[in-house]
Amino acid sequence: MVLIKKATQAGQFVNSKHVDTLLSNYKKERWVQNSNHIGKADSLSVWYSLDQLQAFLDTAKATGADGVKMYFGVYDADTAGEEKYEDRQTIVLVATKAKELDNGVVIDKNVYTNTGNKPEIVAFNVGRLCPPTCTSGGGDTGFDLENPGILIDTRDNGMIVI
């Protein structure tokens, strides 16, 4: 008999300096290259309401999940929903359940539910991407005016503020 251990704990609350460092590192090390690659400003954030997240978490728990993986993804023409989201990165949340393997290693398996026809993954996506949809300062500005960002030297392409 294989005993399933309770999901291991991961994550902790962090301070503003920690967040600022992660975002600055991302902008310098990934965002500039991503944006150059797709030919427009890539998304820097994905927003979901607390009610939406709670509904997803309630659904995940009801299907036996004990955790959530957050995958990075990229919209294509079929998944974007709106043309302005096409080619931009997003985050998809997938319900998981810890499972202990015979060798004692615990893995987090994606959770599926039976929809009648076939099993379907318990997942959540389609948040509000910024850019292109940033609400600080009024709409589709492409900039989060509350967090003006940092100056980046893109070498051959000059300086940009993100």
Side-chain angles (χ1 to χ4, degrees), residues 7-20:
T8 56
Q9 298 298 308
Q12 64 187 27
F13 286 93
V14 296
N15 62 26
S16 295
K17 182 179 178 188
H18 183 91
V19 172
D20 291 345

Side-chain angles (χ1 to χ4, degrees), residues 82-115:
E82 298 181 53
E83 187 177 334
K84 64 184 177 183
Y85 285 0
E86 193 172 330
D87 298 324
R88 287 190 162 101
Q89 64 186 359
T90 186
I91 295 174
V92 61
L93 289 71
V94 176
T96 63
K97 182 157 182 69
K99 178 179 181 181
E100 185 176 0
L101 302 178
D102 292 339
N103 63 3
V105 172
V106 177
I107 60 171
D108 300 306
K109 302 277 290 178
N110 294 345
V111 173
Y112 290 78
T113 186
N114 191 346
T115 62

Side-chain angles (χ1 to χ4, degrees), residues 50-68 93-96 111-115 120-124:
L50 290 177
D51 289 342
Q52 290 172 305
L53 288 174
Q54 189 62 57
F56 170 69
L57 293 174
D58 291 346
T59 299
K61 275 188 174 185
T63 59
D66 58 16
V68 175
L93 289 71
V94 176
T96 63
V111 173
Y112 290 78
T113 186
N114 191 346
T115 62
E120 192 62 53
I121 196 165
V122 179
F124 191 76

